[in-house]
Amino acid sequence: MAVLVTGGAGYIGSHTVAELIDANEDVIIVDNLSQGHRQALLGGKLYVGDIRDSEFMDTVFQENEIESVIHFAAYSLVGESMQNPAKYYDNNVYGTQCLLEKMKAYGTKRIVFSSTAATYGEPQTVPIQETDRTEPTNTYGETKLAMEKMMKWFDAAHGIKYVSLRYFNAAGAHRGGKIGEDHSPETHLIPLILQVPLGKREQVAIYGDDYPTADGTCIRDYLHVSDLADAHLLALQRLRDGGESAIYNLGSGKGFSVKEMIEVARKVTGHPIPAVIEKRRAGDPAVLIASSEKAKSELNWTPKRERLEEIVESAWNWHRDHPEGYTE
Ligand code: UFG
C-alpha cells in the first residue's frame, strides 16, 4: 500500500516526502519536473510525467497499490497566473480533475490537498479563520479554490474524502541540510533576501512601504516547511481513521513585516543586506495571518520550529551550501 505524492519534487512536496520516508511510508512520486528537482527527493519511487497524461497515470496506478494521495502538483506564481490564466486552469483545475478521475477509477478514497491563503483574498479580519469569506484576488487563488470545490463534489458523488490545507507563507529548509527552496524564477521574499549575502544581488526590493501597518510594509505569517509537512501526515492519519473531509489553515498565528524579515536575515547572516523601497506589487494584501486553532485541536498539530531566527537560519544554511540551488 503506497501514498502517491503528486508534485513531490517541489519545495513543499519534497519536504513532505522526507517526513513520509521518516515515517516508513511507501512513497510514490509523480512529478513532471517542470518546477521540481530530482535531487529534492530523499527517497521514494519517482515517475516522471504529468497528472493530465491518462496513460501515464494508468501505469502509476496499475504498478502500485495507491491507498492515498497527497496532491501538490500545480503552478503557484501569482503574477504569472494573472498574465496567463489558461495555463493555471489547465494544470491546476483540469489536472486535479484528471487525478480525481483516476482515483475514482482505481478506488483510491483519500486525498490531502495543498491549498493556500490566496483562497481568501483580501481578509476582512485577522487572524483568518477557515469560515471566513473566500474571494481570491488572483487567478492562482481562484484555481486552488476551484480545486477544493471539485474535491467537495467528488466526495459527495464518489466518497473520496479530502483534507485541504491552506498554507500561509512556507519558509526554511530541511534539518538534514540536503533539501531546500529552489524556484526558478524566484519570487519569494526570504530566498530573495538571502541572495544579497550570497553575492547574487546587490540589494533586496521592498514592495511598498505605504501599507496600513506599523512600519508600512506587508505583514505575513511565516511557517517552517517541515511543520507544514508534518501537518500532511496528520491529515492523512485523520482520513485513515475515518475522519470527514475538512479544511484547515496552517500558519504560525504571528505576523512579521517585510522590514522585520530583512532585519532578522541581517542578524542571521551578519550581512548588512541593503534594501530599497519599490512600488507595491499588484494583488498583495497588507496583512495575512492565520488562525490555525482548528488544525491544532482537530489534527493535533503543533509547529515545532517557531522561532523566526531558526526558520531563516535553516534557509540560510541551505542557500549557503547550495548557492546555485539544485543542479538537476
Ligand atoms: N516582497 C518584497 N520584496 C520581494 C519579494 C516579496 O517586498 O522581493 C514582499 C511581498 O510584497 C509580500 C511579502 O514580501 O508582501 C511576501 O512575499 P512572497 O512572494 O514571499 O509571498 P506571498 O505572501 O506573496 O505569497 C505566498 C505564497 C503564494 C500564495 C500567497 C498567498 O508564496 O503561493 O502566499 O497570499 F499565493
Side-chain angles (χ1 to χ4, degrees), residues 166-202:
R166 292 180 176 163
Y167 321 143
F168 284 64
N169 290 62
H174 191 250
R175 56 196 170 279
K178 291 202 177 110
I179 62 172
E181 183 170 11
D182 178 6
H183 294 112
S184 180
E186 189 53 78
T187 62
H188 295 99
L189 181 64
I190 297 174
L192 288 172
I193 294 174
L194 296 177
Q195 284 181 4
V196 182
L198 283 176
K200 299 180 82 177
R201 64 172 60 231
E202 302 265 295

PDB file of all heavy atoms in Angstrom, residues 166-202:
ATOM      1  N   ARG A 166      -4.704  24.935   3.873  1.00  0.00           N
ATOM      2  CA  ARG A 166      -4.468  26.287   3.326  1.00  0.00           C
ATOM      3  C   ARG A 166      -3.232  26.878   3.988  1.00  0.00           C
ATOM      4  O   ARG A 166      -3.299  27.360   5.130  1.00  0.00           O
ATOM      5  CB  ARG A 166      -5.690  27.169   3.568  1.00  0.00           C
ATOM      6  CG  ARG A 166      -6.895  26.725   2.756  1.00  0.00           C
ATOM      7  CD  ARG A 166      -8.091  27.617   3.032  1.00  0.00           C
ATOM      8  NE  ARG A 166      -9.217  27.247   2.191  1.00  0.00           N
ATOM      9  CZ  ARG A 166     -10.471  27.610   2.429  1.00  0.00           C
ATOM     10  NH1 ARG A 166     -10.763  28.369   3.473  1.00  0.00           N
ATOM     11  NH2 ARG A 166     -11.444  27.238   1.613  1.00  0.00           N
ATOM     12  N   TYR A 167      -2.125  26.843   3.249  1.00  0.00           N
ATOM     13  CA  TYR A 167      -0.875  27.330   3.821  1.00  0.00           C
ATOM     14  C   TYR A 167      -0.799  28.839   3.751  1.00  0.00           C
ATOM     15  O   TYR A 167      -1.192  29.443   2.769  1.00  0.00           O
ATOM     16  CB  TYR A 167       0.365  26.858   3.061  1.00  0.00           C
ATOM     17  CG  TYR A 167       0.397  25.478   2.528  1.00  0.00           C
ATOM     18  CD1 TYR A 167       1.015  25.242   1.301  1.00  0.00           C
ATOM     19  CD2 TYR A 167      -0.124  24.395   3.235  1.00  0.00           C
ATOM     20  CE1 TYR A 167       1.108  23.970   0.784  1.00  0.00           C
ATOM     21  CE2 TYR A 167      -0.035  23.120   2.714  1.00  0.00           C
ATOM     22  CZ  TYR A 167       0.571  22.914   1.492  1.00  0.00           C
ATOM     23  OH  TYR A 167       0.668  21.669   0.965  1.00  0.00           O
ATOM     24  N   PHE A 168      -0.121  29.387   4.753  1.00  0.00           N
ATOM     25  CA  PHE A 168       0.278  30.786   4.673  1.00  0.00           C
ATOM     26  C   PHE A 168       1.700  30.776   4.089  1.00  0.00           C
ATOM     27  O   PHE A 168       1.900  30.134   3.078  1.00  0.00           O
ATOM     28  CB  PHE A 168       0.042  31.472   6.028  1.00  0.00           C
ATOM     29  CG  PHE A 168      -1.443  31.750   6.195  1.00  0.00           C
ATOM     30  CD1 PHE A 168      -2.365  30.692   6.260  1.00  0.00           C
ATOM     31  CD2 PHE A 168      -1.950  33.025   6.181  1.00  0.00           C
ATOM     32  CE1 PHE A 168      -3.744  30.923   6.331  1.00  0.00           C
ATOM     33  CE2 PHE A 168      -3.328  33.269   6.257  1.00  0.00           C
ATOM     34  CZ  PHE A 168      -4.216  32.219   6.333  1.00  0.00           C
ATOM     35  N   ASN A 169       2.707  31.449   4.670  1.00  0.00           N
ATOM     36  CA  ASN A 169       3.991  31.525   3.945  1.00  0.00           C
ATOM     37  C   ASN A 169       4.975  30.451   4.383  1.00  0.00           C
ATOM     38  O   ASN A 169       5.516  30.517   5.490  1.00  0.00           O
ATOM     39  CB  ASN A 169       4.582  32.920   4.121  1.00  0.00           C
ATOM     40  CG  ASN A 169       3.770  33.952   3.372  1.00  0.00           C
ATOM     41  OD1 ASN A 169       2.598  34.153   3.659  1.00  0.00           O
ATOM     42  ND2 ASN A 169       4.361  34.580   2.387  1.00  0.00           N
ATOM     43  N   ALA A 170       5.202  29.481   3.508  1.00  0.00           N
ATOM     44  CA  ALA A 170       6.161  28.412   3.791  1.00  0.00           C
ATOM     45  C   ALA A 170       7.573  28.968   3.712  1.00  0.00           C
ATOM     46  O   ALA A 170       7.889  29.760   2.818  1.00  0.00           O
ATOM     47  CB  ALA A 170       5.991  27.295   2.771  1.00  0.00           C
ATOM     48  N   ALA A 171       8.429  28.551   4.655  1.00  0.00           N
ATOM     49  CA  ALA A 171       9.796  29.085   4.673  1.00  0.00           C
ATOM     50  C   ALA A 171      10.746  28.070   5.289  1.00  0.00           C
ATOM     51  O   ALA A 171      10.323  27.115   5.943  1.00  0.00           O
ATOM     52  CB  ALA A 171       9.824  30.380   5.499  1.00  0.00           C
ATOM     53  N   GLY A 172      12.046  28.273   5.047  1.00  0.00           N
ATOM     54  CA  GLY A 172      13.052  27.434   5.685  1.00  0.00           C
ATOM     55  C   GLY A 172      13.393  26.199   4.882  1.00  0.00           C
ATOM     56  O   GLY A 172      12.918  26.009   3.757  1.00  0.00           O
ATOM     57  N   ALA A 173      14.224  25.359   5.475  1.00  0.00           N
ATOM     58  CA  ALA A 173      14.715  24.175   4.782  1.00  0.00           C
ATOM     59  C   ALA A 173      14.865  23.021   5.768  1.00  0.00           C
ATOM     60  O   ALA A 173      14.896  23.223   6.983  1.00  0.00           O
ATOM     61  CB  ALA A 173      16.054  24.486   4.125  1.00  0.00           C
ATOM     62  N   HIS A 174      14.993  21.827   5.207  1.00  0.00           N
ATOM     63  CA  HIS A 174      15.025  20.578   5.987  1.00  0.00           C
ATOM     64  C   HIS A 174      16.225  20.541   6.931  1.00  0.00           C
ATOM     65  O   HIS A 174      17.312  21.005   6.567  1.00  0.00           O
ATOM     66  CB  HIS A 174      15.068  19.407   4.997  1.00  0.00           C
ATOM     67  CG  HIS A 174      14.855  18.081   5.629  1.00  0.00           C
ATOM     68  ND1 HIS A 174      15.856  17.156   5.759  1.00  0.00           N
ATOM     69  CD2 HIS A 174      13.745  17.524   6.160  1.00  0.00           C
ATOM     70  CE1 HIS A 174      15.372  16.075   6.348  1.00  0.00           C
ATOM     71  NE2 HIS A 174      14.087  16.273   6.597  1.00  0.00           N
ATOM     72  N   ARG A 175      16.013  19.954   8.101  1.00  0.00           N
ATOM     73  CA  ARG A 175      17.083  19.898   9.118  1.00  0.00           C
ATOM     74  C   ARG A 175      18.329  19.166   8.622  1.00  0.00           C
ATOM     75  O   ARG A 175      19.444  19.453   9.052  1.00  0.00           O
ATOM     76  CB  ARG A 175      16.557  19.231  10.399  1.00  0.00           C
ATOM     77  CG  ARG A 175      15.970  17.841  10.169  1.00  0.00           C
ATOM     78  CD  ARG A 175      15.121  17.364  11.346  1.00  0.00           C
ATOM     79  NE  ARG A 175      14.381  16.148  10.999  1.00  0.00           N
ATOM     80  CZ  ARG A 175      13.238  16.133  10.311  1.00  0.00           C
ATOM     81  NH1 ARG A 175      12.692  17.273   9.913  1.00  0.00           N
ATOM     82  NH2 ARG A 175      12.630  15.004  10.029  1.00  0.00           N
ATOM     83  N   GLY A 176      18.153  18.217   7.695  1.00  0.00           N
ATOM     84  CA  GLY A 176      19.296  17.445   7.209  1.00  0.00           C
ATOM     85  C   GLY A 176      20.229  18.242   6.302  1.00  0.00           C
ATOM     86  O   GLY A 176      21.335  17.793   5.997  1.00  0.00           O
ATOM     87  N   GLY A 177      19.779  19.427   5.856  1.00  0.00           N
ATOM     88  CA  GLY A 177      20.634  20.291   5.036  1.00  0.00           C
ATOM     89  C   GLY A 177      20.719  19.892   3.567  1.00  0.00           C
ATOM     90  O   GLY A 177      21.418  20.537   2.792  1.00  0.00           O
ATOM     91  N   LYS A 178      20.001  18.827   3.163  1.00  0.00           N
ATOM     92  CA  LYS A 178      20.126  18.376   1.766  1.00  0.00           C
ATOM     93  C   LYS A 178      19.060  18.960   0.850  1.00  0.00           C
ATOM     94  O   LYS A 178      19.227  18.990  -0.364  1.00  0.00           O
ATOM     95  CB  LYS A 178      20.028  16.845   1.714  1.00  0.00           C
ATOM     96  CG  LYS A 178      21.225  16.152   2.342  1.00  0.00           C
ATOM     97  CD  LYS A 178      21.351  14.726   1.809  1.00  0.00           C
ATOM     98  CE  LYS A 178      22.580  14.036   2.367  1.00  0.00           C
ATOM     99  NZ  LYS A 178      22.260  12.982   3.304  1.00  0.00           N
ATOM    100  N   ILE A 179      17.938  19.357   1.421  1.00  0.00           N
ATOM    101  CA  ILE A 179      16.878  19.896   0.569  1.00  0.00           C
ATOM    102  C   ILE A 179      16.409  21.250   1.088  1.00  0.00           C
ATOM    103  O   ILE A 179      16.461  21.536   2.282  1.00  0.00           O
ATOM    104  CB  ILE A 179      15.682  18.909   0.400  1.00  0.00           C
ATOM    105  CG1 ILE A 179      15.001  18.612   1.735  1.00  0.00           C
ATOM    106  CG2 ILE A 179      16.135  17.615  -0.262  1.00  0.00           C
ATOM    107  CD1 ILE A 179      13.707  17.803   1.584  1.00  0.00           C
ATOM    108  N   GLY A 180      15.992  22.092   0.135  1.00  0.00           N
ATOM    109  CA  GLY A 180      15.575  23.446   0.497  1.00  0.00           C
ATOM    110  C   GLY A 180      14.680  24.025  -0.582  1.00  0.00           C
ATOM    111  O   GLY A 180      13.988  23.296  -1.293  1.00  0.00           O
ATOM    112  N   GLU A 181      14.725  25.359  -0.701  1.00  0.00           N
ATOM    113  CA  GLU A 181      13.809  26.063  -1.608  1.00  0.00           C
ATOM    114  C   GLU A 181      14.575  26.522  -2.842  1.00  0.00           C
ATOM    115  O   GLU A 181      15.530  27.280  -2.736  1.00  0.00           O
ATOM    116  CB  GLU A 181      13.216  27.263  -0.865  1.00  0.00           C
ATOM    117  CG  GLU A 181      12.190  28.038  -1.683  1.00  0.00           C
ATOM    118  CD  GLU A 181      11.429  29.073  -0.859  1.00  0.00           C
ATOM    119  OE1 GLU A 181      11.831  29.342   0.299  1.00  0.00           O
ATOM    120  OE2 GLU A 181      10.438  29.625  -1.380  1.00  0.00           O
ATOM    121  N   ASP A 182      14.148  26.066  -4.007  1.00  0.00           N
ATOM    122  CA  ASP A 182      14.802  26.469  -5.258  1.00  0.00           C
ATOM    123  C   ASP A 182      13.734  26.639  -6.332  1.00  0.00           C
ATOM    124  O   ASP A 182      13.299  25.671  -6.936  1.00  0.00           O
ATOM    125  CB  ASP A 182      15.839  25.408  -5.677  1.00  0.00           C
ATOM    126  CG  ASP A 182      16.517  25.760  -7.005  1.00  0.00           C
ATOM    127  OD1 ASP A 182      16.270  26.857  -7.544  1.00  0.00           O
ATOM    128  OD2 ASP A 182      17.289  24.922  -7.500  1.00  0.00           O
ATOM    129  N   HIS A 183      13.292  27.885  -6.510  1.00  0.00           N
ATOM    130  CA  HIS A 183      12.310  28.194  -7.545  1.00  0.00           C
ATOM    131  C   HIS A 183      12.994  28.948  -8.676  1.00  0.00           C
ATOM    132  O   HIS A 183      13.924  29.706  -8.444  1.00  0.00           O
ATOM    133  CB  HIS A 183      11.195  29.093  -6.994  1.00  0.00           C
ATOM    134  CG  HIS A 183      10.350  28.454  -5.957  1.00  0.00           C
ATOM    135  ND1 HIS A 183      10.355  28.847  -4.628  1.00  0.00           N
ATOM    136  CD2 HIS A 183       9.457  27.444  -6.044  1.00  0.00           C
ATOM    137  CE1 HIS A 183       9.505  28.109  -3.948  1.00  0.00           C
ATOM    138  NE2 HIS A 183       8.942  27.243  -4.770  1.00  0.00           N
ATOM    139  N   SER A 184      12.481  28.737  -9.856  1.00  0.00           N
ATOM    140  CA  SER A 184      13.020  29.483 -10.996  1.00  0.00           C
ATOM    141  C   SER A 184      11.856  29.944 -11.885  1.00  0.00           C
ATOM    142  O   SER A 184      11.188  29.106 -12.472  1.00  0.00           O
ATOM    143  CB  SER A 184      13.958  28.565 -11.779  1.00  0.00           C
ATOM    144  OG  SER A 184      14.472  29.251 -12.864  1.00  0.00           O
ATOM    145  N   PRO A 185      11.556  31.218 -11.948  1.00  0.00           N
ATOM    146  CA  PRO A 185      12.233  32.322 -11.270  1.00  0.00           C
ATOM    147  C   PRO A 185      11.879  32.354  -9.780  1.00  0.00           C
ATOM    148  O   PRO A 185      10.821  31.859  -9.392  1.00  0.00           O
ATOM    149  CB  PRO A 185      11.648  33.558 -11.973  1.00  0.00           C
ATOM    150  CG  PRO A 185      10.263  33.136 -12.383  1.00  0.00           C
ATOM    151  CD  PRO A 185      10.377  31.677 -12.734  1.00  0.00           C
ATOM    152  N   GLU A 186      12.754  32.938  -8.970  1.00  0.00           N
ATOM    153  CA  GLU A 186      12.457  33.075  -7.541  1.00  0.00           C
ATOM    154  C   GLU A 186      11.647  34.357  -7.333  1.00  0.00           C
ATOM    155  O   GLU A 186      12.003  35.408  -7.857  1.00  0.00           O
ATOM    156  CB  GLU A 186      13.758  33.138  -6.737  1.00  0.00           C
ATOM    157  CG  GLU A 186      13.545  33.074  -5.237  1.00  0.00           C
ATOM    158  CD  GLU A 186      12.695  31.878  -4.819  1.00  0.00           C
ATOM    159  OE1 GLU A 186      13.216  30.739  -4.775  1.00  0.00           O
ATOM    160  OE2 GLU A 186      11.483  32.082  -4.561  1.00  0.00           O
ATOM    161  N   THR A 187      10.535  34.220  -6.605  1.00  0.00           N
ATOM    162  CA  THR A 187       9.719  35.417  -6.336  1.00  0.00           C
ATOM    163  C   THR A 187       9.510  35.601  -4.840  1.00  0.00           C
ATOM    164  O   THR A 187       8.933  36.601  -4.416  1.00  0.00           O
ATOM    165  CB  THR A 187       8.319  35.293  -6.991  1.00  0.00           C
ATOM    166  OG1 THR A 187       7.651  34.162  -6.399  1.00  0.00           O
ATOM    167  CG2 THR A 187       8.400  35.108  -8.486  1.00  0.00           C
ATOM    168  N   HIS A 188       9.924  34.614  -4.031  1.00  0.00           N
ATOM    169  CA  HIS A 188       9.608  34.647  -2.602  1.00  0.00           C
ATOM    170  C   HIS A 188      10.613  35.481  -1.807  1.00  0.00           C
ATOM    171  O   HIS A 188      11.803  35.500  -2.119  1.00  0.00           O
ATOM    172  CB  HIS A 188       9.552  33.219  -2.043  1.00  0.00           C
ATOM    173  CG  HIS A 188       8.426  32.427  -2.634  1.00  0.00           C
ATOM    174  ND1 HIS A 188       8.618  31.536  -3.660  1.00  0.00           N
ATOM    175  CD2 HIS A 188       7.101  32.429  -2.380  1.00  0.00           C
ATOM    176  CE1 HIS A 188       7.455  31.020  -3.996  1.00  0.00           C
ATOM    177  NE2 HIS A 188       6.517  31.549  -3.239  1.00  0.00           N
ATOM    178  N   LEU A 189      10.077  36.106  -0.773  1.00  0.00           N
ATOM    179  CA  LEU A 189      10.862  37.099  -0.034  1.00  0.00           C
ATOM    180  C   LEU A 189      12.153  36.536   0.573  1.00  0.00           C
ATOM    181  O   LEU A 189      13.230  37.106   0.362  1.00  0.00           O
ATOM    182  CB  LEU A 189       9.986  37.730   1.067  1.00  0.00           C
ATOM    183  CG  LEU A 189      10.689  38.792   1.900  1.00  0.00           C
ATOM    184  CD1 LEU A 189      11.076  39.998   1.051  1.00  0.00           C
ATOM    185  CD2 LEU A 189       9.813  39.230   3.070  1.00  0.00           C
ATOM    186  N   ILE A 190      12.073  35.454   1.341  1.00  0.00           N
ATOM    187  CA  ILE A 190      13.270  35.012   2.085  1.00  0.00           C
ATOM    188  C   ILE A 190      14.414  34.608   1.141  1.00  0.00           C
ATOM    189  O   ILE A 190      15.532  35.101   1.299  1.00  0.00           O
ATOM    190  CB  ILE A 190      12.913  33.910   3.115  1.00  0.00           C
ATOM    191  CG1 ILE A 190      11.948  34.489   4.148  1.00  0.00           C
ATOM    192  CG2 ILE A 190      14.179  33.363   3.794  1.00  0.00           C
ATOM    193  CD1 ILE A 190      11.407  33.476   5.144  1.00  0.00           C
ATOM    194  N   PRO A 191      14.163  33.755   0.135  1.00  0.00           N
ATOM    195  CA  PRO A 191      15.284  33.441  -0.776  1.00  0.00           C
ATOM    196  C   PRO A 191      15.840  34.673  -1.477  1.00  0.00           C
ATOM    197  O   PRO A 191      17.056  34.760  -1.669  1.00  0.00           O
ATOM    198  CB  PRO A 191      14.665  32.480  -1.802  1.00  0.00           C
ATOM    199  CG  PRO A 191      13.385  32.028  -1.242  1.00  0.00           C
ATOM    200  CD  PRO A 191      12.955  32.982  -0.180  1.00  0.00           C
ATOM    201  N   LEU A 192      14.977  35.633  -1.798  1.00  0.00           N
ATOM    202  CA  LEU A 192      15.477  36.850  -2.461  1.00  0.00           C
ATOM    203  C   LEU A 192      16.341  37.676  -1.509  1.00  0.00           C
ATOM    204  O   LEU A 192      17.375  38.199  -1.914  1.00  0.00           O
ATOM    205  CB  LEU A 192      14.315  37.688  -3.009  1.00  0.00           C
ATOM    206  CG  LEU A 192      13.633  37.090  -4.244  1.00  0.00           C
ATOM    207  CD1 LEU A 192      12.368  37.867  -4.599  1.00  0.00           C
ATOM    208  CD2 LEU A 192      14.586  37.073  -5.435  1.00  0.00           C
ATOM    209  N   ILE A 193      15.917  37.768  -0.257  1.00  0.00           N
ATOM    210  CA  ILE A 193      16.748  38.491   0.732  1.00  0.00           C
ATOM    211  C   ILE A 193      18.123  37.817   0.820  1.00  0.00           C
ATOM    212  O   ILE A 193      19.156  38.479   0.828  1.00  0.00           O
ATOM    213  CB  ILE A 193      16.082  38.490   2.134  1.00  0.00           C
ATOM    214  CG1 ILE A 193      14.780  39.280   2.153  1.00  0.00           C
ATOM    215  CG2 ILE A 193      17.052  39.043   3.178  1.00  0.00           C
ATOM    216  CD1 ILE A 193      14.007  39.195   3.487  1.00  0.00           C
ATOM    217  N   LEU A 194      18.112  36.481   0.869  1.00  0.00           N
ATOM    218  CA  LEU A 194      19.371  35.746   1.089  1.00  0.00           C
ATOM    219  C   LEU A 194      20.294  35.782  -0.130  1.00  0.00           C
ATOM    220  O   LEU A 194      21.484  35.508  -0.009  1.00  0.00           O
ATOM    221  CB  LEU A 194      19.066  34.301   1.515  1.00  0.00           C
ATOM    222  CG  LEU A 194      18.344  34.190   2.871  1.00  0.00           C
ATOM    223  CD1 LEU A 194      18.013  32.730   3.192  1.00  0.00           C
ATOM    224  CD2 LEU A 194      19.175  34.801   4.008  1.00  0.00           C
ATOM    225  N   GLN A 195      19.740  36.140  -1.282  1.00  0.00           N
ATOM    226  CA  GLN A 195      20.602  36.298  -2.463  1.00  0.00           C
ATOM    227  C   GLN A 195      21.594  37.451  -2.297  1.00  0.00           C
ATOM    228  O   GLN A 195      22.627  37.480  -2.952  1.00  0.00           O
ATOM    229  CB  GLN A 195      19.759  36.500  -3.724  1.00  0.00           C
ATOM    230  CG  GLN A 195      19.120  35.209  -4.217  1.00  0.00           C
ATOM    231  CD  GLN A 195      18.294  35.403  -5.477  1.00  0.00           C
ATOM    232  OE1 GLN A 195      18.248  36.499  -6.048  1.00  0.00           O
ATOM    233  NE2 GLN A 195      17.630  34.353  -5.912  1.00  0.00           N
ATOM    234  N   VAL A 196      21.282  38.402  -1.405  1.00  0.00           N
ATOM    235  CA  VAL A 196      22.196  39.543  -1.202  1.00  0.00           C
ATOM    236  C   VAL A 196      23.484  39.059  -0.500  1.00  0.00           C
ATOM    237  O   VAL A 196      24.572  39.208  -1.064  1.00  0.00           O
ATOM    238  CB  VAL A 196      21.508  40.716  -0.473  1.00  0.00           C
ATOM    239  CG1 VAL A 196      22.475  41.881  -0.325  1.00  0.00           C
ATOM    240  CG2 VAL A 196      20.242  41.141  -1.205  1.00  0.00           C
ATOM    241  N   PRO A 197      23.378  38.444   0.696  1.00  0.00           N
ATOM    242  CA  PRO A 197      24.623  37.942   1.305  1.00  0.00           C
ATOM    243  C   PRO A 197      25.318  36.863   0.478  1.00  0.00           C
ATOM    244  O   PRO A 197      26.523  36.664   0.620  1.00  0.00           O
ATOM    245  CB  PRO A 197      24.172  37.381   2.663  1.00  0.00           C
ATOM    246  CG  PRO A 197      22.699  37.289   2.616  1.00  0.00           C
ATOM    247  CD  PRO A 197      22.215  38.292   1.614  1.00  0.00           C
ATOM    248  N   LEU A 198      24.591  36.210  -0.416  1.00  0.00           N
ATOM    249  CA  LEU A 198      25.234  35.219  -1.296  1.00  0.00           C
ATOM    250  C   LEU A 198      26.007  35.895  -2.427  1.00  0.00           C
ATOM    251  O   LEU A 198      26.682  35.224  -3.200  1.00  0.00           O
ATOM    252  CB  LEU A 198      24.180  34.298  -1.929  1.00  0.00           C
ATOM    253  CG  LEU A 198      23.578  33.198  -1.062  1.00  0.00           C
ATOM    254  CD1 LEU A 198      22.482  32.469  -1.833  1.00  0.00           C
ATOM    255  CD2 LEU A 198      24.648  32.210  -0.610  1.00  0.00           C
ATOM    256  N   GLY A 199      25.840  37.213  -2.552  1.00  0.00           N
ATOM    257  CA  GLY A 199      26.527  37.947  -3.618  1.00  0.00           C
ATOM    258  C   GLY A 199      25.830  37.834  -4.959  1.00  0.00           C
ATOM    259  O   GLY A 199      26.397  38.169  -6.001  1.00  0.00           O
ATOM    260  N   LYS A 200      24.564  37.392  -4.963  1.00  0.00           N
ATOM    261  CA  LYS A 200      23.851  37.221  -6.236  1.00  0.00           C
ATOM    262  C   LYS A 200      23.003  38.430  -6.602  1.00  0.00           C
ATOM    263  O   LYS A 200      22.496  38.525  -7.705  1.00  0.00           O
ATOM    264  CB  LYS A 200      22.982  35.971  -6.174  1.00  0.00           C
ATOM    265  CG  LYS A 200      23.832  34.730  -5.944  1.00  0.00           C
ATOM    266  CD  LYS A 200      23.006  33.495  -5.870  1.00  0.00           C
ATOM    267  CE  LYS A 200      22.694  33.013  -7.273  1.00  0.00           C
ATOM    268  NZ  LYS A 200      21.949  31.758  -7.238  1.00  0.00           N
ATOM    269  N   ARG A 201      22.774  39.302  -5.644  1.00  0.00           N
ATOM    270  CA  ARG A 201      22.122  40.591  -5.950  1.00  0.00           C
ATOM    271  C   ARG A 201      22.638  41.638  -4.968  1.00  0.00           C
ATOM    272  O   ARG A 201      23.077  41.302  -3.877  1.00  0.00           O
ATOM    273  CB  ARG A 201      20.599  40.473  -5.962  1.00  0.00           C
ATOM    274  CG  ARG A 201      19.949  40.117  -4.653  1.00  0.00           C
ATOM    275  CD  ARG A 201      18.435  40.209  -4.710  1.00  0.00           C
ATOM    276  NE  ARG A 201      17.890  39.310  -5.718  1.00  0.00           N
ATOM    277  CZ  ARG A 201      17.032  39.685  -6.657  1.00  0.00           C
ATOM    278  NH1 ARG A 201      16.604  40.931  -6.714  1.00  0.00           N
ATOM    279  NH2 ARG A 201      16.571  38.817  -7.523  1.00  0.00           N
ATOM    280  N   GLU A 202      22.589  42.887  -5.425  1.00  0.00           N
ATOM    281  CA  GLU A 202      23.162  43.983  -4.626  1.00  0.00           C
ATOM    282  C   GLU A 202      22.280  44.344  -3.447  1.00  0.00           C
ATOM    283  O   GLU A 202      22.760  44.709  -2.385  1.00  0.00           O
ATOM    284  CB  GLU A 202      23.262  45.247  -5.495  1.00  0.00           C
ATOM    285  CG  GLU A 202      24.098  45.080  -6.745  1.00  0.00           C
ATOM    286  CD  GLU A 202      25.513  45.527  -6.508  1.00  0.00           C
ATOM    287  OE1 GLU A 202      25.695  46.729  -6.264  1.00  0.00           O
ATOM    288  OE2 GLU A 202      26.410  44.657  -6.547  1.00  0.00           O
TER     289      GLU A 202
END
